[in-house]
Amino acid sequence: LFFWNIFVKLGGRDGNGGDSGQRPSIVVAICGMILYNTYCFVFDHVCKEDLRMELTIIHYLVICPLVFLAGFMDAIAGGGGLISLPAYMLSGVPVHLALGTNKLSAVFGASISAWRYTKKGYTPGKISLFCVGVALLGSSLGAQLALRLDDRYFKLIMLVLLPITAFYVLKEKAFDDTKPPLPERKTILICMAISLGVGVYDGFYGPGSGTFLLILLTSFAHLKLRNANGVAKIINWATNVAAVSVYIFSGNVYFPLGIIAGLFNIMGSYLGTVCFEKGGAKIVKPTMIAVVVLFFIKVITEQGIFG
């Protein structure tokens, strides 16, 4: 239903050429059947036996509230992965399984955010479609780079970029909606370049990609904050779907945990979009600063700068 609404709103039409307000029940039913049968096939034939770990109530008590918080933060300013992925690892889920299951739960939240922003008219159709295409390409390239390069290089770059990012966000005119719009063709080209670059980063390393998209789209493409957030959510949804597909078919997703955590992610994302609609830049700035600080601490810790 989320995917159908997104494409209906982007196209502005339903399957019969009428108004996009209609939601053909047959399509929803077919999508449900496909998803259910895909789940049965994947769980029975793709998931590795050793990944069917024994879960306890502790896993859910640790992971689900933090995934809810991650969805809330991600819907406002990105950076939810900085909370959700450590939550899986903190509860004792193996790293490779944590990565895949985290992506599955993130798809749930990304879907509701993309759907709600699209429903509100914050996702320009032409820009979003072009950006999704190049973001998927960038994400694939980034994943290939990740197989050949050490992510230490990206982390070192982040140590320089994150303080600059914090300085920009704290500026009085950050996310200023009064910037004159650029010509449509130039806007699309700039958004595509941003999507390609962030897509490569997302495929290679990932954390904070939604935050970087929001900053770059408002600064260089002169998108209004609401439209920038809408486009960013569409791009994040697409890259998450691509990533989780890889994890599923490599057998690195635990579905029961990912689906339940995903429901919490949906609730957090929904509340986050509501808060964004009411608060705008006033709520984005402090949330984004929190994301940058968390990210900076994470990178410093991983690099072992303070021993």
Side-chain angles (χ1 to χ4, degrees):
L1 179 59
F2 296 146
F3 304 158
W4 176 248
N5 271 281
I6 288 171
F7 287 116
V8 162
K9 292 293 183 179
L10 285 177
R13 296 281 187 183
D14 63 17
N16 299 316
D19 292 332
S20 61
Q22 298 179 0
R23 298 175 184 173
S25 59
I26 184 65
V27 174
V28 176
I30 291 173
C31 289
M33 291 168 61
I34 292 173
L35 289 172
Y36 174 75
N37 284 286
T38 301
Y39 165 79
C40 293
F41 170 79
V42 169
F43 191 77
D44 288 338
H45 299 286
V46 177
C47 288
K48 301 172 185 176
E49 289 293 330
D50 61 323
L51 295 185
R52 299 183 187 182
M53 55 182 291
E54 187 70 28
L55 293 178
T56 66
I57 190 64
I58 300 299
H59 287 91
Y60 292 96
L61 289 176
V62 171
I63 292 171
C64 290
L66 291 175
V67 170
F68 169 86
L69 180 60
F72 180 84
M73 178 178 287
D74 209 38
I76 296 174
L82 298 172
I83 298 175
S84 60
L85 184 56
Y88 284 96
M89 295 180 176
L90 180 65
S91 67
V93 178
V95 174
H96 57 291
L97 188 54
L99 289 169
T101 308
N102 177 60
K103 279 296 182 184
L104 177 62
S105 60
V107 166
F108 281 77
S111 298
I112 193 68
S113 294
W115 168 73
R116 187 163 176 82
Y117 280 119
T118 301
K119 184 180 178 182
K120 290 291 184 179
Y122 299 157
T123 53
K126 188 180 294 186
I127 294 175
S128 299
L129 291 175
F130 278 109
C131 286
V132 164
V134 294
L136 289 172
L137 174 62
S139 183
S140 301
L141 292 174
Q144 293 298 319
L145 285 174
L147 298 175
R148 294 170 173 80
L149 297 176
D150 190 336
D151 65 358
R152 177 181 176 84
Y153 298 111
F154 261 107
K155 292 175 183 177
L156 289 173
I157 294 173
M158 288 299 104
L159 286 176
V160 178
L161 289 182
L162 288 173
I164 297 174
T165 301
F167 175 76
Y168 173 80
V169 173
L170 288 171
K171 284 174 58 180
E172 184 178 349
K173 293 186 178 181
F175 311 117
D176 184 5
D177 278 351
T178 61
K179 293 179 181 178
L182 301 174
E184 183 182 37
R185 180 175 296 182
K186 186 175 182 180
T187 301
I188 291 175
L189 290 174
I190 292 174
C191 289
M192 288 175 66
I194 292 170
S195 300
L196 180 64
V198 176
V200 171
Y201 167 76
D202 196 23
F204 187 94
Y205 186 45
S209 56
T211 304
F212 293 130
L213 277 171
L214 189 55
I215 292 173
L216 294 172
L217 289 171
T218 53
S219 302
F220 296 101
H222 289 197
L223 293 185
K224 292 186 179 297
L225 180 61
R226 294 179 185 273
N227 290 338
N229 218 346
V231 172
K233 296 302 176 285
I234 292 290
I235 294 170
N236 275 340
W237 169 79
T239 53
N240 278 333
V241 168
V244 79
S245 300
V246 174
Y247 284 115
I248 286 174
F249 287 101
S250 64
N252 289 315
V253 174
Y254 190 70
F255 281 88
L257 177 59
I259 290 173
I260 293 176
L263 296 177
F264 279 80
N265 199 261
I266 284 176
M267 291 187 286
S269 296
Y270 185 86
L271 290 176
T273 57
V274 171
C275 288
F276 174 79
E277 290 164 16
K278 294 180 178 179
K282 292 180 181 179
I283 193 170
V284 168
K285 279 191 176 185
T287 305
M288 192 169 287
I289 287 296
V291 171
V292 171
V293 170
L294 283 173
F295 196 4
F296 192 67
I297 293 172
K298 180 178 185 293
V299 173
I300 288 178
T301 303
E302 290 177 346
Q303 293 297 108
I305 292 177
F306 296 112

